[in-house]
Amino acid sequence: MPFPAPLDHAEAVVFDAYGTLLDVHSAVQRHAAAIGPEAQRLSETWRQKQLEYSWVLSLCGRYTPFWTLTERALDYALAQHPSVDRAIRADLLDAYRSLDAYPEVPGTLERLRRDGLRTAILSNGDTAMLDAAVSAAGLGDRLDAVLSVDPAGTFKTAPAAYDLAGRALGVAPERIAFLSSNRWDIAGAAAYGFAPVWVNRTGQPDEYPDLAPVRVIASLDGLLAR
């Protein structure tokens, strides 16, 4: 049976990691009782600053490993929410190294590979943090490649970051379906020439109308649905 669009012309499916395969808020959720009522806001600030730092550095033409940005973003979040005991910092960083995968992720990856498609991660995460996360989530044997932007020395949405996927897999951009929960990442993938699929897990409004996804799904379950 032929694949549904956009997989009908794809040779590989490449995934963003953080927020797409891995729940970035699961680190704080594990320690929510110790953090207290600021837990959700702390997690949101941590994620917002982590991404903001990557964008600012890219625009400045500079690069710092994503794990360092993750630490700096957590420090900012703790300063922004002073009611949270800073002693939780080490526990939160340990938890971030082993984030929970969304429940449908293993089965979707298995199905794609069983049906003859190559699978990979392309992430802003540096190699060490990605290796730890993939191992903790038990996804290693379901992926053909785990790619960090480290070799490019810049973060997504820079074209040099997206170059890494086709080069590693030996697949032309138009034959790569790229999935991300981050709308800005989808915009970058569309500009680059991938077939981007937005995993809109939280029902966010659309944006970047000139750089649209080819499909919008609520979770990875929708990728193979007709």
Side-chain angles (χ1 to χ4, degrees), residues 28 31-44 81 83-85:
V28 168
H31 298 283
I35 294 169
E38 292 289 304
Q40 181 176 345
R41 286 188 288 273
L42 177 78
S43 191
E44 291 170 352
H81 303 280
S83 66
V84 179
D85 186 352

Side-chain angles (χ1 to χ4, degrees), residues 145-214:
V146 178
L147 306 172
S148 165
V149 300
D150 267 350
T154 189
F155 296 106
K156 298 182 289 182
T157 60
Y162 295 115
D163 280 340
L164 297 169
R167 190 180 307 146
L169 297 171
V171 178
E174 64 270 17
R175 296 290 185 178
I176 293 177
F178 180 84
L179 280 79
S180 179
S181 64
N182 303 297
R183 185 61 181 88
W184 56 266
D185 198 9
I186 291 299
Y192 182 77
F194 290 150
V197 178
W198 183 23
V199 188
N200 187 6
R201 293 186 177 277
T202 56
Q204 295 298 306
D206 197 14
E207 50 189 337
Y208 307 109
D210 297 328
L211 296 167
V214 297

Side-chain angles (χ1 to χ4, degrees), residues 5-104:
L7 299 182
D8 51 349
H9 297 298
E11 297 176 21
V13 185
V14 176
F15 299 85
D16 169 64
Y18 297 102
T20 305
L21 301 183
L22 305 171
D23 182 355
V24 294
H25 298 295
S26 63
V28 168
Q29 288 167 0
R30 289 181 204 171
H31 298 283
I35 294 169
E38 292 289 304
Q40 181 176 345
R41 286 188 288 273
L42 177 78
S43 191
E44 291 170 352
T45 303
W46 187 7
R47 175 61 169 169
Q48 176 187 347
K49 286 296 175 178
Q50 181 196 49
L51 294 174
E52 180 185 315
Y53 294 163
S54 73
W55 298 330
V56 170
L57 286 177
S58 293
L59 288 168
C60 292
R62 299 191 177 190
Y63 181 77
T64 298
F66 201 59
W67 182 252
T68 302
L69 302 189
T70 301
E71 293 178 312
R72 291 175 181 173
L74 177 56
D75 288 336
Y76 179 93
L78 289 168
Q80 183 73 14
H81 303 280
S83 66
V84 179
D85 186 352
R86 286 188 60 86
I88 200 71
R89 180 182 189 274
D91 290 336
L92 289 175
L93 290 173
D94 284 344
Y96 207 93
R97 293 184 180 95
S98 58
L99 295 170
D100 297 337
Y102 288 102
E104 81 280 5

Side-chain angles (χ1 to χ4, degrees), residues 11-15 21 108-122 131 134 139-148 164-165 167-171:
E11 297 176 21
V13 185
V14 176
F15 299 85
L21 301 183
T108 300
L109 293 176
E110 288 177 3
R111 170 73 186 278
L112 292 170
R113 293 190 73 189
R114 187 169 65 244
D115 289 345
L117 290 165
R118 303 182 71 188
T119 59
I121 282 174
L122 175 63
D131 287 348
V134 168
L139 302 179
D141 60 356
R142 298 174 171 92
L143 294 161
D144 293 295
V146 178
L147 306 172
S148 165
L164 297 169
R167 190 180 307 146
L169 297 171
V171 178

